[in-house]
Amino acid sequence: AQSVTQPDIHITVSEGASLELRCNYSYGATPYLFWYVQSPGQGLQLLLKYFSGDTLVQGIKGFEAEFKRSQSSFNLRKPSVHWSDAAEYFCAVGEGGNTPLVFGKGTRLSVIA
Amino acid sequence: EAGVAQSPRYKIIEKRQSVAFWCNPISGHATLYWYQQILGQGPKLLIQFQNNGVVDDSQLPKDRFSAERLKGVDSTLKIQPAKLEDSAVYLCASSLGTGDGYTFGSGTRLTVV
């Protein structure tokens, strides 16, 4: 069965600084990988996804993520964080088709001036 | 396109009472999911529908939770009787397939007192 680990529960960065959120997955074949963002009181919004092709994927709001099969990782990055990026970020893995996604426990991002 | 609609947004009930949540997915999305998100955790799948049939309900506490998706469109999730540990956000999502990611509704925040 798939599983997702997000090692960092809470990260604080200064506005304008770079950001990297870690995600490690467990799955035997090539996974479908996703990053979602959740603002307080809101549902989850899809930031980006990967299932084949270029291992560096671009998403919305200036985010990108890199799939590294050798490390079973799919880390999310942003070169310059804005205060509006403060939210909860979830990594998710799926098998493809209509199999349900399995989510990590999330990383809460705080942005300070 | 219209998003995934959920109602109510908030609900407070006493333990042992019953409650129902409603979800209207994006038009044309055959697959519908209900996830439970307990505070501080990632979403956990409760049930998956494909059209009006159940695909996966292995994690649904069937002694108290039930769900249906009549006519393959709207869905309702019911809890009867509620327990304190059912306090959570209940998220509905729909998709065309895993590769497309999910579109989530804003969720229903349930508090059981």
Side-chain angles (χ1 to χ4, degrees):
Chain A
Q2 317 104 295
S3 66
V4 177
T5 301
Q6 293 183 247
D8 304 303
I9 296 174
H10 184 206
I11 285 181
T12 300
V13 299
S14 298
E15 190 169 17
S18 64
L19 169 70
E20 183 169 30
L21 302 181
R22 296 183 291 165
C23 171
N24 293 98
Y25 67 90
S26 174
Y27 180 60
T30 298
Y32 286 66
L33 294 162
F34 303 81
W35 275 99
Y36 286 85
V37 60
Q38 186 178 37
S39 298
Q42 300 298 313
L44 282 73
Q45 180 185 20
L46 180 64
L47 285 176
L48 48 77
K49 60 186 179 183
Y50 171 83
F51 50 90
S52 68
D54 192 344
T55 56
L56 183 64
V57 293
Q58 304 296 320
I60 62 172
K61 303 184 180 187
F63 285 93
E64 67 178 27
E66 186 171 13
F67 171 60
K68 292 186 177 180
R69 184 188 302 275
S70 62
Q71 297 177 22
S72 297
S73 69
F74 188 57
N75 294 349
L76 182 71
R77 300 194 294 248
K78 186 169 185 178
S80 178
V81 169
H82 188 261
W83 64 266
S84 60
D85 293 325
E88 190 92 19
Y89 291 79
F90 293 94
C91 182
V93 63
E95 297 178 9
N98 280 321
T99 56
L101 297 182
V102 174
F103 287 82
K105 292 187 176 182
T107 297
R108 183 161 62 93
L109 173 66
S110 296
V111 180
I112 58 176
Chain B
E1 64 178 2
V4 175
Q6 287 189 250
S7 67
R9 284 299 308 274
Y10 306 93
K11 191 74 175 179
I12 301 174
I13 62 172
E14 295 182 348
K15 59 184 179 184
R16 292 187 289 274
Q17 285 187 326
S18 63
V19 64
F21 313 128
W22 173 82
C23 173
N24 181 246
I26 290 177
S27 177
H29 282 193
T31 310
L32 184 147
Y33 308 84
W34 283 101
Y35 278 81
Q36 180 193 57
Q37 185 178 21
I38 293 173
L39 185 64
Q41 298 184 21
K44 185 188 83 170
L45 179 73
L46 290 174
I47 190 167
Q48 175 188 355
F49 291 95
Q50 180 73 19
N51 296 308
N52 60 349
V54 175
V55 176
D56 185 346
D57 64 355
S58 59
Q59 299 184 78
L60 187 73
K62 299 180 186 66
D63 58 333
R64 298 184 300 105
F65 286 64
S66 65
E68 61 182 8
R69 189 182 184 197
L70 299 176
K71 301 181 181 178
V73 182
D74 293 9
S75 177
T76 55
L77 176 69
K78 297 179 182 178
I79 308 175
Q80 182 179 13
K83 292 185 175 181
L84 296 177
E85 59 260 37
D86 298 331
S87 294
V89 175
Y90 291 84
L91 295 163
C92 178
S94 68
S95 76
L96 290 170
T98 302
D100 299 300
Y102 298 173
T103 301
F104 281 88
S106 297
T108 296
R109 180 176 297 276
L110 173 68
T111 302
V112 182
V113 297

